[in-house]
């Protein structure tokens, strides 16, 4: 008797099976098993599943056909009516490289299409971002050009402001302030606007003083002349640059003394150890320490002037030569001999 496969245990089917299951038979035939051999294996295994039938076929091919199973009587049970199982079509597996290419499903194509679409969206997003950045940079450059144009146009107006018509100057001040509202902050334009506003206030104060009746102005002129001022008690706009870089504009009366201005600055600084410099004309700045008792009118600060605060610890730093100062060369001048050559010690004879 031939040796049987130890892995295969053939058990007789429950009940009498006389017909193979069509679905299981079609599956085995699609795998290459002959119809008669597959049908016989399914009947003998009781249509349990395809794997049992395949094992039986392989065992028969190796060991020869097995004896028919002994029928064991089993109690007959009432069959349960079940709907027939749908037919399952198992596609044939192609072989070779061509078959491997055909096995690539449509998921690969869909994945590539989705990846390409995502790359296009990312590229479009990047392009939109770069375009927005370029637009912002272009607007910033355009705004800077407009501000520079306004600065070049307004600088001459600051010099002409004390002699301009108050109405025309007021329109210019309004124009600068409106421009600052629309263009955003600009330190240089803000300084120009402050200078023009101070000049406008001084002009308006001068007109108010000139409009007073001559009878009222005449008695007031005498005390002012006695103090050395000829402004008749008009307002004086002072722009003071502090030693920390900030600027303050304040209105004083022309008969007030420079000492009062000094005390006002000391109160703001919290320290009286400083000196005031007249910087109305930057190229002719002067130290006012010895003129604290003079009136603002006598100092020529009507209708406006510019002062700079110099801290005491920086007073020794000379930025402008004092009046009457002379400079000596670092070494004596060269001496020329009778022949026109350099003479003296270190010279050529």
């Amino acid at each position: 008797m031939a040796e049987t496969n130890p892995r295969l245990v053939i058990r007789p089917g429950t009940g009498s099976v006389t017909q193979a299951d069509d679905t299981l038979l079609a599956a085995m035939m699609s795998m290459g098993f002959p119809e008669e051999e597959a049908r016989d294996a399914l009947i003998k295994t009781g249509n349990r599943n395809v794997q049992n039938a395949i094992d039986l076929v392989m065992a028969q091919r190796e060991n020869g056909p097995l004896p028919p199973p002994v029928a064991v009587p089993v109690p007959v049970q009432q069959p349960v009516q079940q709907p027939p199982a749908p037919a399952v079509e198992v596609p044939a597996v192609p072989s070779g490289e061509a078959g491997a290419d055909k096995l690539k499903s449509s998921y690969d194509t869909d994945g590539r299409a989705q990846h390409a679409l995502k790359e296009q969206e990312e590229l479009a997003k990047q392009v939109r971002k770069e375009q927005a950045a370029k637009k912002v940079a272009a607007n910033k450059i355009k705004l800077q050009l407009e501000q520079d144009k306004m600065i070049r146009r307004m600088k001459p107006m600051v010099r002409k402001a004390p002699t301009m018509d108050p109405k025309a100057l007021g329109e210019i001040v309004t124009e600068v302030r409106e421009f600052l509202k629309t263009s955003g902050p600009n330190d240089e334009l803000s300084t120009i606007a402050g200078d023009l506003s101070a000049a406008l206030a001084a002009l308006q104060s001068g007109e108010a003083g000139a409009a007073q009746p001559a009878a009222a102005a005449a008695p007031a002129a005498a005390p002012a002349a006695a103090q050395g001022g000829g402004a008749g008690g008009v307002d004086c706009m002072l722009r003071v640059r502090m030693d920390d870089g900030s600027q303050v504009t304040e209105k004083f009366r022309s008969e007030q003394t420079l000492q009062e201005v000094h005390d006002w600055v000391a109160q703001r600084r919290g320290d009286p150890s400083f000196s005031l410099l007249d910087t109305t004309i930057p190229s002719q700045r002067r130290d006012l320490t010895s003129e604290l008792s003079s009136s603002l009118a006598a100092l020529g600060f009507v209708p406006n002037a510019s002062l700079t605060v110099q801290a005491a610890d920086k007073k020794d730093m000379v930025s402008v030569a004092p009046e009457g100062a002379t400079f000596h060369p670092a070494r004596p001048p060269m001496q020329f001999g009778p022949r026109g050559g350099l003479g003296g010690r270190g010279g050529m004879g």
Side-chain angles (χ1 to χ4, degrees):
M1 183 176 179
E3 183 181 356
T4 60
N5 189 344
R7 296 181 302 143
L8 179 62
V9 179
I10 305 298
R11 298 181 182 275
T14 58
S16 57
V17 177
T18 60
Q19 187 176 0
D21 185 88
D22 294 338
T23 303
L24 301 178
L25 179 60
M28 291 187 67
M29 291 176 63
S30 66
M31 297 179 187
F33 293 99
E35 181 180 358
E36 293 300 331
E37 193 175 18
R39 187 185 302 276
D40 181 63
L42 289 172
I43 292 173
K44 288 179 178 180
T45 57
N47 289 325
R48 283 190 179 90
N49 52 53
V50 174
Q51 186 62 45
N52 286 347
I54 293 174
D55 291 342
L56 179 58
V57 171
M58 300 305 296
Q60 288 178 352
R61 289 182 179 181
E62 293 178 1
N63 306 321
L66 298 176
V70 179
V72 178
V74 294
V76 179
Q77 298 180 356
Q78 186 69 24
V80 179
Q81 299 292 334
Q82 294 182 353
V88 178
E89 295 182 1
V90 180
V93 179
S95 60
E97 296 182 358
D101 294 339
K102 292 180 180 178
L103 280 177
K104 291 184 178 180
S105 64
S106 60
Y107 291 106
D108 295 336
T109 305
D110 295 343
R112 294 192 190 96
Q114 292 177 1
H115 182 70
L117 181 60
K118 186 176 181 180
E119 286 185 343
Q120 291 179 358
E121 291 177 353
E122 291 294 334
L123 181 60
K125 186 184 298 184
Q126 183 67 22
V127 170
R128 288 194 296 268
K129 185 177 180 180
E130 292 177 356
Q131 290 177 348
K134 289 180 180 178
K135 185 175 181 181
V136 171
N139 291 337
K140 187 175 181 180
I141 294 174
K142 181 180 179 181
L143 178 60
Q144 184 65 41
L145 293 175
E146 292 178 354
Q147 290 178 345
D148 293 343
K149 182 178 179 181
M150 178 63 74
I151 290 172
R152 290 194 301 269
R153 183 170 151 238
M154 289 300 155
K155 278 186 175 180
M157 297 298 176
V158 175
R159 295 190 293 268
K160 299 177 182 178
T163 60
M164 291 181 63
D165 179 62
K167 183 178 180 180
L169 184 57
E171 294 176 355
I172 293 175
V173 172
T174 303
E175 180 184 358
V176 175
R177 295 194 180 280
E178 291 296 328
F179 181 81
L180 283 173
K181 289 181 180 179
T182 57
S183 66
N186 183 283
D187 294 341
E188 191 169 1
L189 273 178
S190 299
T191 302
I192 291 176
D195 295 343
L196 293 176
S197 299
L200 177 61
L203 289 175
Q204 291 174 345
S205 300
E207 284 188 350
Q212 294 179 355
Q227 296 181 5
V234 298
D235 289 336
C236 174
M237 295 297 298
L238 295 183
R239 185 181 65 184
V240 182
R241 181 182 291 274
M242 298 294 184
D243 51 347
D244 60 358
S246 62
Q247 292 187 10
V248 184
T249 302
E250 186 67 18
K251 182 188 297 185
F252 293 89
R253 298 295 296 173
S254 60
E255 64 268 15
Q256 289 182 272
T257 62
L258 185 62
Q259 181 65 50
E260 297 180 57
V261 179
H262 187 279
D263 296 341
W264 172 77
V265 175
Q267 184 178 2
R268 293 185 63 91
R269 293 181 76 250
D271 182 10
S273 56
F274 66 92
S275 58
L276 293 175
L277 304 179
D278 179 12
T279 55
T280 305
I281 303 177
S283 60
Q284 301 178 9
R285 54 190 300 174
R286 55 174 176 162
D287 191 346
L288 302 174
T289 304
S290 60
E291 303 185 41
L292 294 178
S293 60
S294 302
S295 65
L296 301 182
L299 294 171
F301 291 168
V302 179
N304 54 68
S306 296
L307 303 178
T308 299
V309 176
Q310 186 180 51
D313 56 351
K314 297 182 180 180
K315 189 173 182 181
D316 294 336
M317 300 174 60
V318 179
S319 58
V320 179
E323 185 176 358
T326 58
F327 292 93
H328 299 281
R331 59 181 181 178
M334 295 183 180
Q335 301 293 332
F336 291 91
R339 300 178 184 177
L342 293 174
R345 189 172 63 177
M348 299 176 60

